[in-house]
Amino acid sequence: MSTCKFCGAEIDWIFTTEQKYKAVDQEPVFVIEGEGRDQFIEDEGGTITGRIARPEEERRDLLVAHVPHWRTCQNAAGFRRKR
């Protein structure tokens, strides 16, 4: 477990299939694949496109993935590189 240097939130790191480490929120979410444009990262490092399931939609057969931390970081501007 690590801490985000921009907002202080606890985060995890996942090694992606692109051979890079990405910061993700600690709590995984249920994802409805194909409904939505949001990107999520699986434990194995793959990417899923979809949306977060609402509480009434959550069920065992849905995919579980992590939200990239830059989407929820209160200081997300710190993630952007200056050109």
Side-chain angles (χ1 to χ4, degrees), residues 20-35:
K20 296 179 181 181
Y21 282 98
K22 294 229 176 157
V24 296
D25 290 346
Q26 263 193 322
E27 291 298 317
V29 295
F30 286 104
V31 177
I32 297 180
E33 192 174 16
E35 289 188 19

Side-chain angles (χ1 to χ4, degrees), residues 3-74:
T3 304
C4 175
K5 66 182 179 180
F6 301 110
C7 71
E10 293 181 352
I11 58 173
D12 284 328
W13 294 90
I14 293 180
F15 192 68
T16 68
T17 55
E18 298 147 0
Q19 309 301 303
K20 296 179 181 181
Y21 282 98
K22 294 229 176 157
V24 296
D25 290 346
Q26 263 193 322
E27 291 298 317
V29 295
F30 286 104
V31 177
I32 297 180
E33 192 174 16
E35 289 188 19
R37 297 183 188 176
D38 294 331
Q39 298 278 322
F40 301 92
I41 301 173
E42 298 176 292
D43 286 337
E44 300 81 25
T47 302
I48 301 170
T49 301
R51 68 172 175 84
I52 296 176
R54 294 185 295 273
E56 64 272 11
E57 296 175 313
E58 292 179 359
R59 56 186 192 274
R60 291 179 185 234
D61 63 329
L62 290 177
L63 296 171
V64 176
H66 293 271
V67 176
H69 181 64
W70 62 265
R71 282 193 18 219
T72 60
C73 184
Q74 297 170 358

